[in-house]
Amino acid sequence: MSLFSDFSILKFLANTVDILLVWFVIYKLITIVRGTKAVQLVKGIFVILLVKIISDTFHLQTLGWMMEQVLIWGFLAIAIIFQPELRRALEQLGRGRLFSRSGNQEGEDQEKMVEAIVKAVDYMAKRRIGALISVERETGMGDYIETGIPLESKISSELLINIFIPNTPLHDGAVILQKNTVAAAACYLPLSESPFISKELGTRHRAALGISEVTDSLTVIVSEETGSVSLTKNGELHRDLKSEAFKELLANELIFKNNVKQTSSGRWNWRVKKNG
């Protein structure tokens, strides 16, 4: 009886670990495809599966046959269409980087991004060069990246400044930063329809507020009329920020909050809330 009980406990633990590992793999795969074109692919697969279930339930033979053919040949089409992405994922798996990334590396990337944004914004503010820079965080911005011109370039202050120089092909619209790259320029962001926005604010500020209402992104605005620097997050607008205040707020959101998630430090939580 004791041996049977021990066997049952071991089997239960093994099943629990199995389920947790499967959920972990699914979660990591979702984080990989989030904010990319693959998200639309996953949605399409769910729709096809739903139609297949409905056709089987109500015995819709023709529709069921069509969905079956789509599923059979669809996976082959996916392998061909997404061959670069699959190859990249396998390469990362071979390097052991698919499901993990150095926390120190992420911290260094965030610090470099903050320094590049601050340097570029200071330069453009002094010369009243209008700019709109949105930083992707947890919520994917793939749909908005697709509206612009893809760059996939490493972030640098010189690149950001050059993009927003007046009368250049990419200056009109928003730049979206994704991880440690300039994902795209000349992107279209949704305009906020809030009736409480000041009438003196232009399209850039409305676009920055609009994207902050539908994502958790951080968006920086440089006014070409006054050279003032503003920042939006979670539907809030922080206007006329001085250089030091802007740098501190940006660092709190992009560096310190990232450290809070990794270390769960109560001291950092207090500091972020105080400054945020």
Side-chain angles (χ1 to χ4, degrees):
M1 187 69 180
S2 178
L3 289 174
F4 179 77
S5 177
D6 292 342
F7 177 76
S8 298
I9 293 173
L10 289 174
K11 187 175 181 180
F12 172 76
L13 290 175
N15 289 336
T16 303
V17 172
D18 187 23
I19 293 171
L20 290 175
L21 287 174
V22 170
W23 277 111
F24 177 75
V25 171
I26 292 173
Y27 168 75
K28 285 298 182 181
L29 290 174
I30 291 173
T31 60
I32 290 171
V33 304
R34 182 181 58 191
T36 67
K37 293 180 179 179
V39 173
Q40 307 303 323
L41 173 67
V42 172
K43 291 179 181 178
I45 291 174
F46 277 118
V47 171
I48 292 172
L49 290 175
L50 180 61
V51 173
K52 182 68 168 65
I53 292 171
I54 293 173
S55 63
D56 289 343
T57 302
F58 294 97
H59 306 290
L60 306 175
Q61 295 181 0
T62 305
L63 183 61
W65 178 84
M66 290 176 61
M67 292 300 102
E68 188 175 342
Q69 297 305 309
V70 170
L71 289 173
I72 291 173
W73 295 102
F75 287 103
L76 178 61
I78 289 170
I80 296 173
I81 295 171
F82 289 91
Q83 183 265 341
E85 286 78 6
L86 293 172
R87 183 180 64 186
R88 192 179 306 117
L90 290 173
E91 288 175 353
Q92 291 178 350
L93 180 62
R95 300 190 194 106
R97 294 170 52 195
L98 183 60
F99 295 136
S100 64
R101 192 177 180 214
S102 168
N104 291 334
Q105 183 63 45
E106 286 186 1
E108 290 176 5
D109 290 343
Q110 296 291 333
E111 290 177 6
K112 290 178 181 178
M113 179 168 64
V114 168
E115 290 297 326
I117 294 173
V118 170
K119 185 177 178 181
V121 167
D122 283 346
Y123 180 95
M124 292 186 287
K126 291 175 182 178
R127 292 160 180 79
R128 297 189 179 183
I129 298 173
L132 185 61
I133 304 171
S134 191
V135 182
E136 180 190 81
R137 295 203 280 184
E138 293 297 322
T139 306
M141 299 181 67
D143 291 343
Y144 306 106
I145 290 172
E146 290 179 356
T147 66
I149 308 298
L151 296 179
E152 295 297 333
S153 305
K154 287 189 176 181
I155 297 172
S156 69
S157 57
E158 291 80 7
L159 176 59
L160 293 175
I161 292 169
N162 196 64
I163 288 173
F164 289 108
I165 294 296
N167 301 321
T168 55
L170 300 179
H171 88 284
D172 191 19
V175 162
I176 297 179
L177 307 184
Q178 189 179 53
K179 295 182 180 178
N180 62 336
T181 63
V182 180
C187 300
Y188 293 97
L189 302 183
L191 300 181
S192 174
E193 297 181 359
S194 172
F196 304 106
I197 299 177
S198 173
K199 299 296 184 182
E200 65 185 27
L201 297 180
T203 304
R204 283 194 181 92
H205 289 82
R206 286 187 172 272
L209 275 169
I211 195 65
S212 74
E213 292 169 353
V214 296
T215 71
D216 63 347
S217 61
L218 205 67
T219 305
V220 181
I221 314 103
V222 180
S223 171
E224 63 182 344
E225 286 81 13
T226 63
S228 63
V229 178
S230 303
L231 184 145
T232 64
K233 65 183 184 76
N234 301 325
E236 301 174 355
L237 175 63
H238 301 260
R239 296 182 61 185
D240 301 327
L241 296 171
K242 301 301 181 184
S243 181
E244 286 302 318
F246 169 67
K247 183 176 181 178
E248 183 178 2
L249 182 56
L250 203 62
N252 282 342
E253 293 294 326
L254 298 179
I255 299 176
F256 299 146
K257 273 194 174 181
N258 187 54
N259 291 338
V260 169
K261 291 178 182 177
Q262 293 177 5
T263 64
S264 300
S265 167
R267 181 171 65 86
W268 282 125
N269 269 318
W270 176 83
R271 181 172 181 179
V272 170
K273 288 180 181 178
K274 180 179 178 182
N275 289 286

